[in-house]
Amino acid sequence: MPELLNKGEHIKTKRVTLDSNELARSLYGENNSNLRLIERRLNIVINIRGNELILQGGLSEVELTENLLTQLYGLLREGYPIYERDVDYSLRILGSNHKSELKPIFLDRVYIPSKKKTITPKSINQKNYIDSIRRYDIVIGIGPAGTGKTYLAMAMAISSLMKKEVDRVVLARPAVEAGEKLGFLPGDLYEKVNPYLRPLYDALHDMMDFESASRLIQSGVIEVAPLAFMRGRTLNDSFIILDEAQNATPEQMKMFLTRLGFSSKTVITGDITQTDLPEGKTSGLIQARDILAHIPDIKFVYFGREDVIRHPLVQDIIDAYDKLDT
């Protein structure tokens, strides 16, 4: 339990009353785990009296907790289940801007008919990213690992395909070794480049069952290919994703961007802090950021550590490496 009285600060007490015992239990979490998480993060005490919560702590922390609990309870009333990770994401959102509204973020659903699952954004930037993909024909998402750039783009692509908004999905990646010398790879051309494309297959198979994905790949409705395979093509009625774009050269980036045909969307994702190009070689993603920012119909969305949706340690690792680079 937080040592509130040891700080010598003024302690504020606030009561929050919930009108449904069932929803209250869902809000509290299994063994009150959601409330315990809030206590640890905000250094407050939450006492439970049935469907009433008594909050004790510093003024700003108690006000943030009341806002958080009220908005999470509102999500529960809309049928959105609350888990510890949702509490964690909500704390990040409201901690950075207490005026933020959780409903427009968490209730924005990308429906994947093939698996009858919905995928929702978990941060303000993720919500902005999804909205931008809906609105713009070219969206460029830049940020660290684990922020959902590729996963959300894949969800939007598969959803568009299943709803027949596009005729095919094209997934591309530069075939660049990530700081390792892989040496000679046996097999035909597709077998040689397959290791570079594996993360795209992983995301795809999370959206669709293996048999459906394989059938669509074999028929050409879904294409997974190295970036070099895009040369000389015009892609109409397609949803195109370029992943790990920081490893594209300027020439490759220009080539890729000019593949866009009619009734198509392009999403480009990358982390400009993890470029694997040879020393002295400019990243096409960095160059594109610098020279295309003035074009109003190309939308750039930037992600930060607050958007990381992996294990909490990933945030700490990103921070540690950022400090090393400064």
Side-chain angles (χ1 to χ4, degrees), residues 117-300:
K117 66 184 295 186
T118 56
I119 295 168
T120 64
K122 302 298 183 183
S123 72
I124 293 173
N125 286 330
Q126 286 194 354
K127 167 65 172 170
N128 182 30
Y129 185 55
I130 286 178
D131 286 342
S132 297
I133 293 173
R134 291 177 176 132
R135 179 179 176 186
Y136 294 87
D137 288 340
I138 298 180
V139 176
I140 301 177
I142 298 175
T147 50
K149 304 181 300 296
T150 303
Y151 192 82
L152 289 174
M154 183 75 77
M156 293 293 286
I158 298 304
S159 179
S160 295
L161 180 66
M162 295 294 101
K163 290 188 288 186
K164 301 187 184 302
E165 295 172 347
V166 296
D167 293 337
R168 60 177 167 169
V169 171
V170 180
L171 312 171
R173 254 190 167 210
V176 176
E177 295 172 352
E180 303 173 44
K181 296 300 181 183
L182 300 179
F184 174 77
L185 292 172
D188 60 23
L189 184 58
Y190 279 94
E191 290 171 328
K192 291 178 188 295
V193 300
N194 228 24
Y196 301 105
L197 306 175
R198 178 49 51 190
L200 292 175
Y201 283 109
D202 290 343
L204 175 61
H205 290 147
D206 196 52
M207 310 286 170
M208 308 182 71
D209 62 81
F210 184 84
E211 291 75 15
S212 297
S214 298
R215 184 171 60 255
L216 292 173
I217 290 171
Q218 290 173 2
S219 65
V221 174
I222 296 178
E223 179 181 353
V224 185
L227 176 57
F229 281 32
M230 298 297 105
R231 191 173 302 278
R233 304 174 63 184
T234 299
L235 300 171
N236 296 316
D237 302 301
S238 302
F239 197 119
I240 313 146
I241 299 174
L242 174 59
D243 189 35
E244 296 290 333
Q246 75 275 5
N247 290 329
T249 65
E251 296 79 12
Q252 288 176 322
M253 182 61 72
K254 179 182 178 182
M255 177 272 292
F256 178 80
L257 285 166
T258 55
R259 299 309 93 201
L260 184 67
F262 293 106
S263 303
S264 291
K265 283 185 178 290
T266 291
V267 180
I268 297 169
T269 70
D271 178 0
I272 57 176
T273 69
Q274 295 191 30
T275 300
D276 299 312
L277 290 169
E279 187 174 354
K281 189 67 175 178
T282 301
S283 166
L285 180 59
I286 294 175
Q287 185 190 69
R289 177 198 62 181
D290 296 337
I291 68 175
L292 301 178
H294 70 284
I295 300 178
D297 289 332
I298 296 178
K299 178 67 173 179
F300 286 81

Side-chain angles (χ1 to χ4, degrees), residues 22-35:
E22 182 180 355
L23 293 182
R25 287 193 295 270
S26 297
L27 178 64
Y28 301 166
E30 186 176 355
N31 297 321
N32 302 324
S33 58
N34 294 340
L35 301 183

